[in-house]
Amino acid sequence: MKKCLLLACALLATAHAQTTVKINGYGGTDPAVVGDLINRFVKPALAKDKITVVYEPLQGDYNKSLTTLLAAGTAGDVFYLPAETLDGFVATGKVMPLNGLVNTSPFIKSLNTAFTRNGRLYGVAKDFNTLTLVYNKDLFDEAGVKYPDNTDTWATLQTKLTTLKQKLGPDYAGICLQPNWDRFGAFAFATGWTQFDSKGKTNLADPRFAEAFNFYTGLARNKVGIQPSEVSEGWTGGCLKTGKVAVGIEGNWVVNFLRDNAPNLKFGTALMPKNTKTAKRGNFLYTVGWAINSGTKNRAAALKVLNILTSPQVQQYVLEQGLAIPSRTALTNNAYFKKTDPGAVNSRLVFDGADDGNVRAFTFGPQGTDWSKPINEALAAVLSGQKSAADALKKAQADMNAFQSR
């Protein structure tokens, strides 16, 4: 009888036990955003299941911090998984494959692909960004040049930028050119070039890569295109803020920056231009997914949390608050996208860019962020006039070979 009472008490205690799901994500402004989502959507949905959710942001270098926690076995049950460092985390075996555990059909196909390796899905995109052309309407009006539009090719865009520069003179520039893979790479993809071959190697001697490199760096001729540093800025948004540069290549994040730092700037948005030969646009998917720790002891609860955080209700709220671009295809007809204000138009075109042309996840591959260093150095050398494109590419390939032979 006593044993039966003890068993009953144990079962009762189990029935009333509270499960805690720990989430790791970015620091900065993210704790306020994720905390709001947890309070609005996650807690009410899971209260009956006796699941508590705790958000523990990782300040500073997120990738380094998460790597340390995963190795120590103290990472969250659910955590942010950046697409750009996906390969390194997958290699640890600490990320749970989600095949058969979540329904990915409602999500943009290219985003599912971004989190898939060897047929295994490791994350569900919580949101994303792509690149667009963001332009200063007043400068184009003053120069009497047509705005960039969704029909532009590399050639027609270059003509518009060159004409604008000629009309406005030495104090103005047509486009801001960051000397980095994270902007230039979209042009490389437009040519049909692939980042890694079947053996995981990168070929910068490919004529298609050279075509994109020559076009991008060629925009700097006669100061039609300038680097951010030439107007004492650190990025493209800063270039636009000055009112001296007509076009920037940026994602949706630039909208709030311009609203806060250049409130009188009248801007428009166009899709990335099409490669003149392939008639394809190139673009990046900048995305972070929700993933589950393969070592979690709360798998069922973690899956419930992940499904809520990527639910239609959460994504609708995030979109309408202007926080991010949703990853669900059903939101393509959302009323927000039908608005005509500059921010909403930008959001719609960023959303459309996810599956228009040669779109690839922004990633560095299994060897990490240093992969892009040879390309960035080559871009900087040519844009600053220190090297010819041919010499810069030759050195970049040698440096890439050395890096990938480690």
Side-chain angles (χ1 to χ4, degrees), residues 133 135 140 145-161 247 270-276 279-281:
L133 298 180
Y135 57 89
F140 279 91
V145 176
K146 289 183 179 180
Y147 298 149
D149 60 50
N150 298 340
T151 68
D152 272 326
T153 64
W154 290 9
T156 61
L157 176 65
Q158 185 172 24
T159 297
K160 289 178 179 179
L161 298 176
V247 175
L271 292 170
M272 292 291 286
K274 294 180 179 181
N275 175 270
T276 309
K280 295 279 190 180
R281 307 183 204 281

Side-chain angles (χ1 to χ4, degrees), residues 21 46 51 77-78 96-103 124 290-293 296 298-310:
V21 173
L46 296 181
I51 297 173
D77 303 282
V78 180
M96 180 185 293
L98 299 174
N99 304 65
L101 300 176
V102 297
N103 177 18
V124 179
W290 286 112
I292 294 180
N293 189 333
T296 181
N298 304 308
R299 189 176 88 160
L303 280 167
K304 287 183 179 181
V305 171
L306 182 149
N307 283 325
I308 295 169
L309 287 170
T310 56

Side-chain angles (χ1 to χ4, degrees), residues 23 28 44 77 81 83 90 92-93 108 118 166 180 194 200 207 233 259 265 309 333 336 341 370:
I23 300 175
D77 303 282
L81 183 62
V90 167
T92 68
I108 295 171
N118 298 318
Q166 291 171 345
N180 299 107
T194 54
E233 295 291 340
R259 180 197 63 200
L265 189 148
L309 287 170
N333 295 317
Y336 177 79
D341 64 276
D370 283 348

Side-chain angles (χ1 to χ4, degrees), residues 106 234 252 259 275 359 363 391:
N252 185 248
R259 180 197 63 200
N275 175 270
V359 185
T363 180
D391 288 344

